[in-house]
Amino acid sequence: MSYMKKPQFRHPHIVENDIGFTRRDYEGGMSTLCAGCGHDSISSAIMQAVFELSIEPHRIVKLSGIGCSSKTPTYFLGKSHGFNSVHGRMPSIATGANLANKDLFYLGVSGDGDSASIGLGQFAHVIRRRLNMLYIIENNGAYGLTKGQSSATADVGSRSKKGETNIYNPIDVVSLAIDMGATFVARSFSGDKEQLVPLIKAGLMHPGFAFIDCLSPCVTFNDHVGSTKSYDFIREHNRAVNKTDFIPMKNEITANYPEGATEVIRSHDGSELRLQKLESEYNPVNRAAALDQVVRARQSGTVLTGLFYVDTEANDLHSVLNTSSKPLNQLNKNQLCPESDKLKSINESLR
Amino acid sequence: MHSESVVNDFVVKFANVNGSGSASANHLFAKAVFRSGVPVSPRNIFPSNIQGLPTWYEVRVSEKGYTGRRGGADIVVAMNAQTFFDDVNEVESGGYLIYDSTKPTDVGVLRDDVTFLGIPLMDICLHEFGNITQRHLFKNIVYVGALCALLNMELGIFKNLIKEQFKGKEKLVKPNEKALDIGFQYAHDQLGGPIDFRVERRDLLSNKILMEGNDALGLGAVYGGATVVGWYPITPSTSVVEAFSKYADQFRVDEGTGEQLFSIVQAEDELSAIGMAIGANWSGARAFTATSGPGISLMSEFLGLAYFAEIPLVLFNIQRGGPSTGLPTRTQQSDVVSCAFASHGDTKQILLFPSSPTECFEFSAQSFDLADRLQTPVIVLSDLDLGMNDWCCDELQWDDSREFDRGKVLDAAGLDAVENWGRYRDVDSDGICYRTYPGAHSSKGAYFTRGTSHDSDARYTESGAAYVENVERLLRKYETSKKYIPKPIIDYTEGKKTSYGIIYYGSTEPALRESLDELLEGDLPLNALRIRSFPLHAEVYEFIEQHKTIFVVEQNRDAQMRQLIISQQNVDMSKLVPILHFDGTPITERFISNAIKDYLDPKVMPFSLGQGKRAI
Ligand SMILES: Cc1ncc(C[n+]2csc(CCOP(=O)(O)OP(=O)(O)O)c2C)c(N)n1
Ligand code: SF4
Ligand SMILES: [Mg+2]
């Protein structure tokens, strides 16, 4: 397997990243979503993040379930392998793929229906297992693809387009993720690329399970007055706890941050997460505090965004299982298949 | 009473309470028969419960090598008060019943055609063993010691087995030997020594082993190169994964680093278990899952995805009994139709039917080649009888020169060498296309795998023409699969012409072979065909063509294989007489022979075709 990129001639005006790829190399097919759909903004944030991280597109694996959100992997990173699985079951496919080859980056894209209803079990369990992946829920509080039914993340009292008021308690995927042991948990908004792109970068590079709950309004079915997942409602109620900047290990740190208000979180690989504190007392390395913060905000009706929790000591499923450092899908017959003399002694033991 | 002793041809049945430690003692007995060189077939009949309910362990001893379940018992070791009276009734006339005579009871009045042999087991253990656990456990070993004397077996064989069993825990050898000696002596001194049933040493098992089908499947998966396992516990499939884990710990841990060259994840449910196996296979690792009963129903959505998106997958289905939770600890062959067409839409799967642990091992290893070659799920259909009992079978063999067949996969060099690759282009006209693994090449070979309808370049399409083209190619691939999957095995009776044939599959094998002999002895020769895979080969239909009447012997209510036979090709249905056994116990020679004799006997009410003979 070769990860070498052949040099290609490019027009001098086209911007290339560190490894010589242009933005176009990270594009996908034409989106067929409704114009203005939040999901399309997330796709473009993903393309920008991967471009800026200078990851070769073939080293990313895109996975999704079923829904408008789960369709989006067709619309970005066209040079990456993708897997559009079945409704709510992307985490298990991601687990198998990752177990087979630990050397690639795994990016899962799901919806609130896909992850908080039919797939709630798989969502919770993939977190428990610490799969090394970035998991994004494109959260619109509704089932877009089946025409606007309320989803399990819709708030009590939120009205659907048909005028029905949601009477069931919402599932907060962020507090669930924190509680299940995710080692990187953030919430963002499709309309705030400045906040979202660094979070995607940091999440992709995180060496464990990273989760972003990305509010992503459904313009067709859930963007009206009375919905708590509309563009207007989110903009009015959004409160960011911090501003993240992700600095890969190879980059020199050039940005200037005001002393005292910036938290620097270093990873083992030398990269840095710089968090500009917007809420003076907030510290994202404490799981209990993160949960407390998230629950309080929910009670007060605030849409809290930012990086809530990160564990710098994160590890992943492979380290728990102690699997081979060479990807399992690259082991050959000599490594996998015992010789026939071994079988002889097994025969002997069965007499 | 027998006038002379019966040698190497009888059944011993142990009636115990589960959780009482009897299983390993009973196994010790079966293994000692095996070590005497005489074919033996132990069967565990156990409840879906951990402690306190009745369990039975039947050991058939058969010099002729008949290892199917016989039914009835010549010697019953009745250790369960709850089932005592039933167990007494179970003894064949002229047989023996061994019981705990600590509390005086007048058992003799129960039957006058049975010899009652009382051993004060509780009393003996109370005096001989100090702690309570030992007293309970060694009761079992004491009756095994007694059996050794009663059947005139060699005590040394039992003692060697004890030594092997407790290798590394030598402290346990002595008390076990003591318990054996006590039982042996008691039977010798107080019960008059050997009875009318005897085990005599033979040398009939030189190339045989005693192995469980699930153990063989797990081992086969290690030889087949499986590296990823997703699973969810369910009887009777759990021990497939346990076996894989045991052998992987032995053979797949890197000596230098201690790293595992495999991964096993206990999933949150069967959907997740099969999803993991699909994800891993998609990424180029060999992966499997194992399940039973309800688990198969849960996996069906993903089976459709793997079929339609053409992802290799190995699934071991260890069938149990009944719809829903059914008979969780009993055996049947009742998932044949649901697996053949598992999942909605036009879906067809590949099935393999092993009929012995030896074949479980072979099919398990081979299934990974087949799944890779055919890029589709391969479902290996075993069952509880084959999976969870020790079968006396041919020893396992492996050819070191054998390579994995990874099928049509393009790596970076392969991709550079072809022009215009498309994931679902049938360039070889066999229905099988070329796939790539994620990350294989820096700029080529990426595609989007989906369960939605797709064109030959894996692009989403709702075009009817593209859909039809795709699913017709899948049919072509299905046809191609017959070249690779195991062909049926046909046995024509030597030197005798017959217009009767039998079709059967899987764990029915030993009972059926015995039945063929029995019927031949009664001057009723039958030709037999054993189906080993689905889709069915042309040979199956030729065989049907050659005979006037075909008995299709199965362990389910609905004649499921017969349904498959008539669903795949034009065939005269009236020729196919179903013989169906489905009470959850393994099918017996007696059942098969009687059903066929009844069918052919003009005095017996004619059975209507399509109804056939059923177990009562
Ligand atoms: C097993 C199954 N049940 C139901 C559906 C129908 N279905 C398709 S998408 C969807 C909901 C998707 O909602 P969400 O994940 O929030 O995605 P969105 O469209 O809102 O982005 C449903 C119920 C399905 N595809 N599969
Ligand atoms: S229906 Fe809603 S979620 Fe789906 S594409 Fe349209 S706006 Fe987006
Ligand atoms: Mg949604």
Side-chain angles (χ1 to χ4, degrees), chain A residues 1-6 21 56-59 61-64 70-71 73-74 78-87 89 92-93 95-101 104 106 121-123 125-126 129 317 321-326 328-329 331-333 335-343 346-351, chain B residues 31 34-35 205-211 215 219 222-223 225 227-228 247 251-252 258-269 271-272 275-276 278-280 282-285 301-302 305 311 361 395-398 400-404 412 416 436-442 445-452:
Chain A
M1 214 180 270
S2 148
Y3 294 133
M4 289 299 294
K5 168 88 178 84
K6 288 195 207 104
F21 286 89
E56 295 155 290
H58 74 286
R59 300 200 57 212
V61 178
K62 316 168 285 184
L63 306 120
S64 64
S70 291
K71 281 183 172 193
T74 332
K79 293 180 174 174
S80 306
H81 267 70
F83 197 143
N84 186 196
S85 68
V86 291
H87 197 20
R89 318 296 174 199
S92 59
I93 295 289
T95 304
N98 184 310
L99 283 172
N101 189 351
L104 303 175
Y106 292 88
Q122 293 218 347
F123 175 60
H125 284 272
V126 75
R129 280 186 207 107
L317 181 60
L321 294 177
N322 194 26
T323 49
S324 111
S325 30
K326 188 166 187 186
L328 293 173
N329 72 348
L331 301 176
N332 60 32
K333 180 200 133 188
Q335 291 158 299
L336 297 177
C337 189
E339 288 179 340
S340 58
D341 58 333
K342 300 280 190 335
L343 200 58
I346 290 175
N347 281 328
E348 283 317 311
S349 73
L350 296 169
R351 295 195 216 271
Chain B
K31 193 118 185 183
F34 184 91
R35 288 277 174 97
L205 302 177
S206 50
N207 292 321
K208 302 279 179 186
I209 54 171
L210 202 54
M211 189 180 204
D215 204 32
L219 181 61
V222 172
Y223 274 83
T227 54
V228 178
Y247 292 118
F251 303 125
R252 290 277 198 76
E259 289 174 352
Q260 298 196 347
L261 308 187
F262 66 97
S263 58
I264 302 174
V265 177
Q266 183 184 320
E268 61 273 30
D269 55 32
L271 291 89
S272 180
M276 290 177 195
I278 291 172
W282 176 72
S283 241
E301 185 188 22
F302 258 141
L305 174 75
I311 302 166
F361 174 75
E395 63 182 14
L396 311 179
Q397 287 180 351
W398 187 257
D400 286 324
S401 68
R402 177 172 163 173
E403 296 292 330
F404 296 153
D416 282 331
T436 59
Y437 303 152
H441 190 287
S442 59
Y447 69 101
F448 205 71
T449 301
R450 53 174 89 248
T452 39

Side-chain angles (χ1 to χ4, degrees), chain B residues 93-143:
Chain B
S93 189
Y96 294 81
L97 186 119
I98 297 167
Y99 68 103
D100 186 346
S101 60
T102 301
K103 290 182 194 145
T105 32
D106 192 12
V107 292
V109 302
L110 293 174
R111 283 191 54 185
D112 55 12
D113 59 340
V114 166
T115 309
F116 290 84
L117 302 174
I119 309 173
L121 291 165
M122 221 152 63
D123 206 32
I124 291 176
C125 291
L126 194 68
H127 287 102
E128 300 287 344
F129 297 102
N131 75 49
I132 296 186
T133 331
Q134 283 200 341
R135 280 176 198 160
H136 278 286
L137 286 177
F138 286 127
K139 237 168 55 172
N140 306 312
I141 304 292
V142 173
Y143 68 63

